[in-house]
Amino acid sequence: MRVAHHPGAATGLHLIADPSLAPATLEQAAPTLVRGGLPLVSGGVGARVPARELVLFDGRLGPSHAALLEREPPALLLATREPGGTPSAWEVRVLASLLRGEPLLPPGVAVAKLWLERVVDIKGASSEAAALVEASRGSRSAANLAAEVMHELAANALLDAPVDAHGTPLYAHRRESVQSVAPEHVCQVSFCVGEGGIFLEAVDLFGRLPPGPIARAVSSLGGRMQVNASGGGAGLGMRRIVEACDLIAVRVVPGKETRMLGVVGLGEARRRAALPKSLLYFKSE
């Protein structure tokens, strides 16, 4: 079984600044975005092709940003984490690859890829991700976070994504009793270390993750997570992914594939939830 490659259509981006930034930031950031291959367009009334909103902000993700993810299409949230107030080159590359349907993992580095079929495989993938952080001289706390994020991504792809022909979850509501999934329901996880930290990715073959669960996790930041078991999980795992990662990128090809990437920095995890974050959700049309 192979994970299909889906070439993306050209998508225009209307660049706007979050209130956390001065309007001049757009002029400073635009050259970096253009060099990275992002298709910036002029927005506004009368534009021929509706553009997706690319929102630059200081990266301090909070409840107010949840509404941006609930727009149609969801806004793309890109942090300006560099000292000069511009996005990092590695995050711009991920965004460009996301829009073009290209691989999200950094090029030119060794990538570990695993197919998961048994629930016990999730723990194995998590342990391998943690070991890679330690081998790359990352902190112990970063290794623990990488294991946690890999576990949540893999569990979502292996147990929450599969549904039957009627859209009913096959495993999500009985996570505690499932030991393995059917061969046609396996998922793939990949991980590697590149600029930005450890890249952790999970791919399922169903393509049905909406922005809602991510928006709910964002809306809960700084407060108590409201449990929502409608999809089989409580939503706590998505909250932990958002808190732990410096970047989250999701590409959904409806009915075919959901590809979710989390990037965890290799440094100490102190106040990780408050560090700059980018959140990129893209559904292919």
Side-chain angles (χ1 to χ4, degrees):
M1 185 181 298
R2 296 181 298 111
V3 175
H5 177 69
H6 304 278
T11 301
L13 298 176
H14 178 207
L15 185 61
I16 61 177
D18 179 90
S20 65
L21 301 180
T25 303
L26 297 184
E27 295 182 9
Q28 298 171 356
T32 299
L33 301 175
V34 172
R35 283 196 299 271
L38 295 180
L40 303 184
V41 298
S42 298
V45 178
R48 288 185 179 180
V49 180
R52 294 176 188 266
E53 291 181 338
L54 174 56
V55 179
L56 297 187
F57 73 125
D58 62 6
R60 267 59 181 185
L61 198 62
S64 63
H65 295 103
L68 297 174
L69 296 172
E70 293 169 342
R71 294 181 180 178
E72 185 54 48
L76 300 157
L77 305 176
L78 187 62
T80 53
R81 74 173 70 246
E82 294 299 304
T86 59
S88 67
W90 67 268
E91 286 170 291
V92 172
R93 181 202 63 78
V94 170
L95 176 54
S97 298
L98 184 77
L99 300 178
R100 291 195 292 253
E102 297 173 351
L104 303 182
L105 300 176
V109 300
V111 177
K113 293 182 180 290
L114 302 171
W115 284 103
L116 308 187
E117 182 176 357
R118 302 172 302 160
V119 172
V120 69
D121 295 336
I122 297 174
K123 184 176 181 180
S126 301
S127 297
E128 289 195 34
L132 178 58
V133 171
E134 294 179 348
S136 303
R137 298 185 178 180
S139 68
R140 176 63 61 86
S141 57
N144 291 337
L145 281 179
E148 185 174 356
V149 170
M150 185 79 273
H151 184 280
E152 297 297 343
L153 291 174
N156 288 345
L158 188 69
L159 300 175
D160 291 347
V163 293
D164 63 18
H166 304 288
T168 302
L170 292 169
Y171 311 108
H173 295 290
R174 52 189 186 95
R175 275 188 175 207
E176 300 303 320
S177 62
V178 174
Q179 294 185 350
S180 63
V181 302
E184 63 270 25
H185 300 153
V186 298
C187 71
Q188 185 185 65
V189 299
S190 305
F191 45 93
C192 63
V193 169
E195 185 179 0
I198 183 168
F199 287 64
L200 306 156
E201 182 183 78
V203 184
D204 68 60
L205 305 177
F206 291 85
R208 65 184 200 91
L209 177 66
I214 305 171
R216 286 193 293 272
V218 171
S219 69
S220 74
L221 291 174
R224 196 174 208 177
M225 181 71 191
Q226 296 297 313
V227 173
N228 183 337
S230 61
L236 300 176
M238 193 67 74
R239 162 78 173 258
R240 289 299 296 133
I241 292 172
V242 171
E243 288 179 332
C245 293
D246 293 343
L247 174 141
I248 297 168
V250 181
R251 182 167 63 228
V252 177
V253 183
K256 295 182 179 179
E257 170 184 299
T258 293
R259 183 176 298 267
M260 188 167 186
L261 170 75
V263 181
V264 176
L266 299 184
E268 290 296 334
R270 188 176 304 146
R271 292 182 55 79
R272 176 87 59 173
L275 294 177
K277 301 176 182 299
S278 292
L279 210 169
L280 312 169
Y281 178 96
F282 178 74
K283 183 170 74 172
S284 297
E285 302 299 337

